[in-house]
Amino acid sequence: MESGCLKVAGFDGGAPQAPSTDPNLKLGDEEVAVETALDMDMASAACPGCKLVELQLPILDAFFGDQAHLDAAMADFGTAVNTAAKLGASSVSMSYQYPSDKTVEFGQAGRDLFHPGMAVLASSGDGGYEGDQHGGWPSNLPWVVSVGGTSLFQTADGYTNTVWSGAGSGCETDLPGAIGAPASVSAVCGGHRASSDVSAVADPATGVAVYDTYAPFTGQPLNWITVGGTSASSPFIAGLYARGGHLSQVMGPNTMYTAPAGAFTDVTFGQNAPIRSCTPAEIALCNARAGWDGPTGVGVPNGLAGF
């Protein structure tokens, strides 16, 4: 922090959240610390020269409650994204997912995540195919980049990506297609928002090394651990947006779909684990295929050509 490469603040730009004193919330702090370490490490790995900002939300926002609680938590995320914009951030990543809610989709919390010229990204989720009716907020918003996940394997020729079985995908039938997505993508959701838009490694079995020492509840620091999930892929892609630096034309995921040929490596093998079997009409939302598919979007980045 003394070098200026990391700033920690509250979601409204004020002081960071105070450590919890309640034992149950201490456990929550400890669990969220793993998420935070993963997010910051992946953003830094993608953009080692970037200055990172961690905006802390109230710990209770990490837990589901009644609808009023959920709406308040999502409003806090909106405030945090606005704060990031005021601080000059070029990209923002959110590794959380809340149930779809028209109140926030069409209300202030949803609008707060619309920031042309700043990349706003969210994890597509770790539950596989979520269905053809509603996706998880905020990755379901047309102006948010929904980041899916892959499994990354070493081969004799280098590395190959396949669909990670947990990669979130689905439709948001309350909302129109993703900004910039061709009609062929939104058509798989009847003209509505289809996710995801892009992907990176997320499978915990082929995951990433994260260092975490914050253990206020157990007193047993985890130190080096292997972590995965689309909570890894979203901040990694956010780091690439910042490192690439070509953000003036960014409006949601639009530049993912207009990138030059070869900017993304297509993922053509594997499927996620749907809650129920995909019908033939839904197969593109669950299975890898040539071109766009639900679990991996347009594919995985091939360097910075797409950013």
Side-chain angles (χ1 to χ4, degrees), residues 73-74 77-78 81 92-101 104-105 109-114 120-125 130 135-147 172 175 193 195 197 234 253:
M74 288 183 270
F77 271 88
V81 173
V92 174
S93 175
M94 294 167 283
S95 294
Y96 286 87
Q97 190 174 83
Y98 291 92
S100 180
D101 180 348
V104 293
E105 290 166 6
R111 293 195 298 270
D112 284 341
L113 271 58
F114 181 67
V120 180
L121 303 90
S123 303
S124 71
E130 296 182 338
W137 189 93
S139 70
N140 63 337
L141 297 174
W143 47 90
V144 169
V145 181
S146 175
V147 186
E172 179 47 73
L175 297 166
R193 207 299 187 221
S195 62
D197 301 306
S234 181

Side-chain angles (χ1 to χ4, degrees), residues 6-7 35-45 52-54 235:
L6 174 64
K7 175 183 177 65
E35 179 76 46
T36 304
L38 172 63
D39 289 357
M40 303 304 285
D41 283 359
M42 290 303 287
S44 179
L52 304 182
V53 178
E54 176 198 335

Side-chain angles (χ1 to χ4, degrees), residues 175-192:
L175 297 166
I179 294 177
S184 59
V185 171
S186 55
V188 302
C189 289
H192 296 285

Side-chain angles (χ1 to χ4, degrees), residues 101-212:
D101 180 348
K102 285 186 178 181
T103 300
V104 293
E105 290 166 6
F106 295 99
Q108 189 62 48
R111 293 195 298 270
D112 284 341
L113 271 58
F114 181 67
H115 283 274
M118 182 176 76
V120 180
L121 303 90
S123 303
S124 71
D126 299 344
Y129 177 50
E130 296 182 338
D132 61 352
Q133 296 298 319
H134 299 289
W137 189 93
S139 70
N140 63 337
L141 297 174
W143 47 90
V144 169
V145 181
S146 175
V147 186
T150 67
S151 301
L152 179 64
F153 298 100
Q154 188 171 12
T155 67
D157 300 325
Y159 295 89
T160 187
N161 283 274
T162 66
V163 172
W164 174 46
S165 63
S169 65
C171 299
E172 179 47 73
T173 54
D174 287 339
L175 297 166
I179 294 177
S184 59
V185 171
S186 55
V188 302
C189 289
H192 296 285
R193 207 299 187 221
S195 62
S196 57
D197 301 306
V198 66
S199 57
V201 63
D203 185 350
T206 66
V208 297
V210 170
Y211 193 69
D212 173 41

Side-chain angles (χ1 to χ4, degrees), residues 240-251:
L240 294 180
Y241 266 107
R243 188 172 181 177
H246 301 103
L247 293 153
S248 63
Q249 300 302 311
V250 167
M251 186 181 294

